[in-house]
Amino acid sequence: MPRITEYRRPAAGTQPDYLFPRYASTVKRAPTQPLVLLPHTQTELTGPVFGYGEVKRSDHDLTKQHAGDPIGERIIVSGRVLDENGRPVPNTLVEIWQANSAGRYPHRIDQHDAPTDPNFTGAGRCLTDKRGNYRFVTIRPGAYPWRNHYNAWRPAHIHFSLFGQAMVQRLVTQMYFPGDPLLAEDPMFNCVPDERARQRLISTLDWETTIPEIALGYRFDVVLRGPEETPMENRKGDKR
Amino acid sequence: MSLHATTSQTVGPYLHIGLTWLSIEKLALAGVPGERISIEGRILDGDGEPVNDALVEIWQADSRGIYGGKRFRGFGRSATDGDGRFRFQTIKPGRVPGTDGKMQAPHIGVIVFMRGQLKHLVSRVYFPGEPANANDPVLALVPAKRRGTLIAKKRGKAGALEWNVILQGKDETVFFDS
């Protein structure tokens, strides 16, 4: 196996800039000075490992965290975590959080006039298996208004946080649902120019993971950065 | 096979629901060898207002310069409070090699997530009065007049350090393209 020297830098148009004025909160929070290109040293090439101990095996099921069943359409959200070279990322922590079926978060700052659900917190986590697979049971989140612009509504989404095996693979993203007409107007979804990159944020209805009479399945694969695979001696300009 | 990494999206304002179940502000349990330190700081936006909805994660080596050791994982996570403040109690990391095999100065890797950022920030904390800072290969990449933003300041009692994240303006913290 080649020694990892660097992880790949993003392809043009596939990752957002910090400043994106359509998403108004970026204006006072985006760095204004140029970023410094960071070489990948051990600090960047390593990362924390988590296990069942901290994560409970039942943490993947968001519908079983309270006395009763949450209101809403029960769904299975599953997929694989891969790197850019197509290799599965095993045993990595996946954390999710989401609004309830009415589009409300149980959070002190969420003032949306929609009901909270005493049977739904909206947080889950799991570790990927040997093949990089993860699976959650949850309910389909609702859309909700936000104050970014007049009549702004977030499309239904589930937040994902992933670690991978190196700090440079750390990723927080959002999963969307197919056919959602709100996607076209959403500044976050539209934060990158690459159309295919945007489409990859949308899950697909998946008959294979759908459980008859119980829950529809949605598939969402996540790709983390992958190591450059060009051997050192073949790299142009590398004199070592 | 060649894929493209999934597009980053903001953690949004409700990050606490999904991420603060794992709050690790004390990284070093009793008996872990190393010089005990605390790092506290605030995150301030372009108006100088505290960012009360951010999450700071740190990643560091143990006192020997080993990442992910059995007794000391080296990962911390702290959500900012109403005053934009985060805090960690840990140990000073040992030196680890850089890309050319030369040793780097002791440092802690930092990742910051918040509403209003479509992707996380990457920075580093270095230590005050550390002679190795002068030859650190990463600090050397930073314009000299901005290096100070990466070096924590001593505060009060022994081992207490302050390191702030200034998002914009003349004292803007150095952030890395990692």
Side-chain angles (χ1 to χ4, degrees), chain B residues 101-178:
Chain B
K102 285 188 198 138
M103 297 306 270
Q104 302 184 67
H107 64 274
I108 293 175
V110 180
I111 283 182
V112 184
F113 298 95
M114 67 184 76
R115 173 182 66 83
Q117 286 182 347
L118 290 157
K119 59 184 173 185
H120 57 258
L121 294 169
V122 176
S123 191
R124 280 184 170 199
V125 182
Y126 285 83
F127 292 85
E130 175 65 52
N133 288 346
N135 300 313
D136 182 79
V138 172
L139 278 178
L141 300 172
V142 176
K145 65 178 193 307
R146 300 189 63 211
R147 271 175 216 157
T149 70
L150 298 179
I151 300 170
K153 291 180 178 64
K154 285 187 183 157
R155 278 287 172 261
K157 57 182 186 201
L161 299 171
E162 177 183 340
W163 181 75
N164 298 307
V165 177
I166 311 297
L167 296 174
Q168 297 180 343
K170 69 173 173 49
D171 299 320
E172 185 173 315
T173 302
V174 167
F175 302 109
F176 292 102
D177 175 355
S178 72

Side-chain angles (χ1 to χ4, degrees), chain A residues 51-69:
Chain A
Y52 287 109
E54 283 166 308
V55 181
K56 292 201 294 286
R57 288 193 187 268
S58 58
D59 285 347
H60 79 289
D61 190 341
L62 287 72
T63 68
K64 296 275 191 277
Q65 296 174 343
H66 300 277
D69 292 328

Side-chain angles (χ1 to χ4, degrees), chain A residues 8 14-16 18 23 27-30 32-33 36 40 43-44 46 54 84 95 170 173 176 223, chain B residues 2-3 6-9 21 46 57 59 67 73 77 107 115-117 119-120 124 168 172 177-178:
Chain A
R8 285 156 64 176
T14 64
Q15 293 294 338
Y18 289 103
Y23 174 20
V27 174
K28 294 291 184 187
R29 294 185 165 192
T32 62
Q33 299 286 323
V36 175
H40 295 170
T43 310
E44 290 72 36
T46 54
E54 283 166 308
E84 288 173 305
E95 300 166 284
R170 189 85 177 83
T173 187
Y176 300 94
V223 180
Chain B
S2 181
L3 305 169
T6 304
T7 299
S8 176
Q9 297 271 273
W21 68 280
E57 291 181 347
W59 175 239
Y67 278 104
R73 180 163 61 184
R77 177 186 267 183
H107 64 274
R115 173 182 66 83
Q117 286 182 347
K119 59 184 173 185
H120 57 258
R124 280 184 170 199
Q168 297 180 343
E172 185 173 315
D177 175 355
S178 72

